[in-house]
Amino acid sequence: MQGLLFAAYLLFYVATKHCFVDGNKRLAWACMTFVLLNFGLTVTATDDEAEAFCIQIAKGEIKETGEVMVWLYPRLVSLI
């Protein structure tokens, strides 16, 4: 569960804080999936679902990390 919390926070932070001029949402998704992979997990979502989700976060429609976890949890699949 700690891995999910860390991955969700990382996705939320990078997507909302605009660390870079371009590519924040892509980098946020990549960082999140990298963390989850280290815990033996992956996310089952289409490219369109992932893009729409990251855009919602970046636009401020998703306001808390908890909301990110709620979206991610049912889409997690164990790789082990």
Side-chain angles (χ1 to χ4, degrees):
M1 189 58 100
Q2 291 176 345
L4 174 60
L5 177 60
F6 179 66
Y9 186 80
L10 188 59
L11 173 66
F12 184 81
Y13 181 82
V14 175
T16 59
K17 301 305 179 204
H18 308 290
C19 307
F20 305 102
V21 175
D22 188 31
N24 292 294
K25 294 179 290 298
R26 288 185 300 260
L27 180 64
W29 186 263
C31 290
M32 183 252 337
T33 55
F34 179 75
V35 168
L36 291 175
L37 284 172
N38 282 295
F39 285 95
L41 299 168
T42 190
V43 178
T44 57
T46 66
D47 290 343
D48 291 338
E49 290 172 326
E51 179 184 9
F53 181 58
C54 288
I55 289 171
Q56 284 181 308
I57 295 169
K59 284 184 175 180
E61 295 170 9
I62 294 178
K63 298 180 185 332
E64 298 179 358
T65 306
E67 295 176 78
V68 175
M69 290 180 62
V70 167
W71 189 91
L72 285 175
Y73 187 75
R75 292 168 175 83
L76 290 178
V77 175
S78 176
L79 296 172
I80 301 172

